[in-house]
């Protein structure tokens, strides 16, 4: 770690001479495999599943599937220098952002929040060790991970130099960072605040085996509690698809009983309880659509609705708070799919048919429809954008 007057370098070095590369260059792919292999051997990957998931994400077969998403791959180069503003609430996201841009052929400056450092320090130390080997000296010279506080002058400087800027962290962060202007030809790739929901087949939950129910609930836990329900892709509202009368009551009772068992392992710190309790009172005072409220200790609050507000994105609790509403048909939710809606996770729903229905309806929102357990899976296509296309240019 090296500290200058204005910021601290954690890994790599400040890019000085920018030389865009072809996407998925052999050296970059080798670097990905070396880093993934060594990360798998570290205690942090064994203790925290998110880091192990990242190393698995870098497997060769997965990267090859991403390479095939590029149009005109032989005619592309990276855009140049990418400046990343990493989110403070998702420790692994800075790596996904960095490696996607690296695979696209770019040099990179990644800014980490100082409060994120304790969680990512071991991974950054490993990254720095690999970058300092002779094999990867050229990659080190064009990539840096650094940290600094809210210093507008530093952000101004990096923003003026970059060819693309990736901003994670939501609407407030985007508006603040955009006060630092880009050069005329540079592009912004912002990731705004989003809202996600789930659709569950009531008849399936009412009739499935105990093992099937336990498996589904475990995947639901990964989508929600693992990120304190604060990830943009974590569902806050559950639509219960009830094609035949009578299944909603049975299914939701069986479901939440199973969730209550699964969440006993959830680390519910006192600060989470306090925030959760305050949010619950806010919902009670300002959400007239709530017809019933139930809870299982402080780990689970469930709000049943008798109608939907015009803007469903206001139904957004954290740390294990869920709204639920029964529907008769999937088309019933279409009027509520605004631009703020990002991910729909599903249980026992025909995803291909539902996706086609959404496209035919011409909705302004929804970028992903995935099964339970995949809400947190990072992809090259995110928020409706192909990031590889966005971070490269075509030479015709």
């Amino acid at each position: 770690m090296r500290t200058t007057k204005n910021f601290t370098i954690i890994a790599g070095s400040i890019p000085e001479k920018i030389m865009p590369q072809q996407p998925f260059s052999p050296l970059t792919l080798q670097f990905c495999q070396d880093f993934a292999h060594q990360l798998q051997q570290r205690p942090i990957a064994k203790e925290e599943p998110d880091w192990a998931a990242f190393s698995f994400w870098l497997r060769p077969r997965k990267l090859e599937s991403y390479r095939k998403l590029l149009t005109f791959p032989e005619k592309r180069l990276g855009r140049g220098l990418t400046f990343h503003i990493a989110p403070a609430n998702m420790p692994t996201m800075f790596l996904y952002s960095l490696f996607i841009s690296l695979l696209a052929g770019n040099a990179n400056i990644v800014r980490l929040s100082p409060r994120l450092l304790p969680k990512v320090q071991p991974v950054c130390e490993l990254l720095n060790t690999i970058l300092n080997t002779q094999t990867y000296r050229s990659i080190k010279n064009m990539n840096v991970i650094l940290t600094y506080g809210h210093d507008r002058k530093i952000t101004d400087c990096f923003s003026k130099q970059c060819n693309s800027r990736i901003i994670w962290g939501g609407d407030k962060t985007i508006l603040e960072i955009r006060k630092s202007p880009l050069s005329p030809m540079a592009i912004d790739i912002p990731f705004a605040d989003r809202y996600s929901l789930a659709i569950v087949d009531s008849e399936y939950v009412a009739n499935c085996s105990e093992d099937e129910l336990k498996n589904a609930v475990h995947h639901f836990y990964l989508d929600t509690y693992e990120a304190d329900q604060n990830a943009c892709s974590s569902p806050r509202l559950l639509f219960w698809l009830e094609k035949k009368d009578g299944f909603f009551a049975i299914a939701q009772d069986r479901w939440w009983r199973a969730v209550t068992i699964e969440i006993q392992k959830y680390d519910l710190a006192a600060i989470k309880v306090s925030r959760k309790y305050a949010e619950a009172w806010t919902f009670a005072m300002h959400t007239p659509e709530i017809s019933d409220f139930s809870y299982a200790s402080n780990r689970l609050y469930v709000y049943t609705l008798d109608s939907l507000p015009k803007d469903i994105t206001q139904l957004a609790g954290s740390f294990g708070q869920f709204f639920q509403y029964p529907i008769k048909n999937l088309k019933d939710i279409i009027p509520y799919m605004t631009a703020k809606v990002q991910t729909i996770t599903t249980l026992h729903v025909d995803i291909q048919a539902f996706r086609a229905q959404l496209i035919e309806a011409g909705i302004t929102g929804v970028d992903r429809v995935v099964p339970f357990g995949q809400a947190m899976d990072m992809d090259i296509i995110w928020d409706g954008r192909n990031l590889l296309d966005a971070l490269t240019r075509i030479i015709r």
Side-chain angles (χ1 to χ4, degrees):
M1 186 181 296
R2 182 160 57 89
T3 302
T4 70
K5 182 179 179 180
N6 299 314
F7 53 80
T8 300
I9 294 177
I10 303 169
S13 58
I14 297 289
E16 294 182 359
K17 184 179 181 181
I18 308 301
M19 294 185 63
Q21 306 294 306
Q22 285 188 285
F24 296 89
S25 73
L27 183 62
T28 300
L29 291 174
Q30 180 183 331
F31 176 72
C32 289
Q33 298 319 303
D34 282 353
F35 179 73
H37 176 72
Q38 293 193 43
L39 178 58
Q40 289 169 3
Q41 311 307 313
R42 294 297 174 105
I44 193 170
K46 295 177 171 62
E47 297 164 2
E48 300 183 31
D50 287 349
W51 300 110
F54 176 78
S55 65
F56 186 66
W57 183 81
L58 284 178
R59 66 194 185 278
R61 182 179 297 180
K62 189 69 170 179
L63 297 186
E64 177 59 21
S65 71
Y66 286 149
R67 188 188 67 80
K68 292 177 180 178
L69 292 176
L70 273 174
T71 54
F72 307 110
E74 71 284 353
K75 297 178 182 179
R76 286 185 180 269
L77 279 175
R79 294 184 61 87
L81 175 64
T82 304
F83 178 33
H84 308 249
I85 307 294
N89 65 332
M90 300 293 290
T92 58
M93 193 56 70
F94 84 98
L95 275 187
Y96 285 106
S97 195
L98 167 63
F99 275 79
I100 289 172
S101 182
L102 193 61
L103 287 165
N106 294 297
N108 298 278
I109 296 174
V110 182
R111 185 265 179 184
L112 295 181
S113 166
R115 62 189 175 97
L116 192 61
L117 291 185
K119 296 182 179 180
V120 303
Q121 193 69 43
V123 176
C124 290
E125 288 174 357
L126 171 61
L127 188 62
N128 196 46
T129 298
I130 298 174
L131 287 171
N132 279 322
T133 62
Q134 187 61 40
T135 303
Y136 300 119
R137 188 57 58 88
S138 62
I139 294 179
K140 175 189 175 181
N141 291 339
M142 290 203 296
N143 293 276
V144 68
I145 298 173
L146 47 76
T147 184
Y148 61 89
H150 297 290
D151 191 319
R152 172 76 179 277
K153 290 183 179 179
I154 303 175
T155 301
D156 284 349
C157 178
F158 292 148
S159 295
K160 289 177 183 177
Q161 296 176 32
C162 72
N163 305 98
S164 51
R165 183 172 62 186
I166 299 178
I167 310 172
W168 302 90
D171 297 358
K172 185 177 179 181
T173 299
I174 291 168
L175 293 174
E176 185 61 32
I177 297 299
R178 278 181 167 170
K179 294 176 183 177
S180 298
L182 295 170
S183 65
M185 293 184 65
I187 64 167
D188 252 340
I189 304 177
F191 293 97
D193 291 328
R194 304 298 299 276
Y195 183 86
S196 295
L197 54 96
I199 302 176
V200 184
D201 186 294
S202 297
E203 186 173 356
Y204 172 78
V205 172
N207 294 321
C208 68
S209 69
E210 287 299 320
D211 284 345
E212 289 171 327
L213 179 63
K214 185 176 180 180
N215 183 61
V217 165
H218 174 66
H219 285 115
F220 177 74
Y221 179 90
L222 296 178
D223 289 343
T224 53
Y225 284 88
E226 279 289 290
D228 291 329
Q229 212 181 351
N230 283 323
C232 287
S233 55
S234 292
R236 318 291 186 92
L237 166 64
L238 276 72
F239 285 112
W240 290 90
L241 181 60
E242 187 186 36
K243 296 178 182 178
K244 300 177 182 178
D245 291 339
F247 283 112
F248 167 58
I250 299 170
Q252 66 94 21
D253 181 69
R254 191 181 184 207
W255 177 262
W256 295 120
R257 287 180 186 273
V259 170
T260 300
I261 296 171
E262 180 74 17
I263 61 177
Q264 295 309 307
K265 59 188 175 184
Y266 178 54
D267 177 22
L268 188 64
I271 185 64
K272 297 179 185 179
V273 175
S274 176
R275 283 183 53 188
K276 193 171 183 177
Y277 191 66
E279 288 178 358
W281 274 107
T282 300
F283 294 139
M285 291 187 292
H286 300 290
T287 312
E289 294 84 3
I290 295 174
S291 62
D292 186 60
F293 169 70
S294 59
Y295 65 95
S297 71
N298 278 318
R299 283 183 163 81
L300 174 65
Y301 295 172
V302 180
Y303 309 89
T304 302
L305 306 171
D306 59 13
S307 62
L308 292 173
K310 184 177 180 181
D311 178 14
I312 62 171
T313 66
Q314 67 185 268
L315 306 173
S318 54
F319 311 117
Q321 297 186 84
F322 302 96
F323 294 84
Q324 63 176 5
Y325 184 73
I327 57 173
K328 292 294 184 183
N329 195 296
L330 291 174
K331 68 180 182 181
D332 294 343
I333 75 169
I334 286 176
Y336 303 94
M337 298 301 100
T338 63
K340 277 290 183 183
V341 179
Q342 184 207 59
T343 299
I344 299 178
T345 49
T346 64
L347 179 61
H348 209 254
V349 171
D350 185 333
I351 290 177
Q352 297 293 343
F354 180 48
R355 186 183 290 121
Q357 192 174 11
L358 294 173
I359 292 171
E360 184 179 358
I363 57 173
T364 58
V366 185
D367 297 316
R368 305 168 69 221
V369 184
V370 296
F372 272 25
Q374 295 184 21
M376 306 296 291
D377 290 0
M378 185 60 189
D379 199 354
I380 291 293
I381 298 176
W382 198 255
D383 276 10
R385 301 183 185 91
N386 184 326
L387 297 179
L388 289 173
D389 276 355
L391 292 168
T392 55
R393 60 190 181 90
I394 300 173
I395 301 177
R396 291 281 282 178

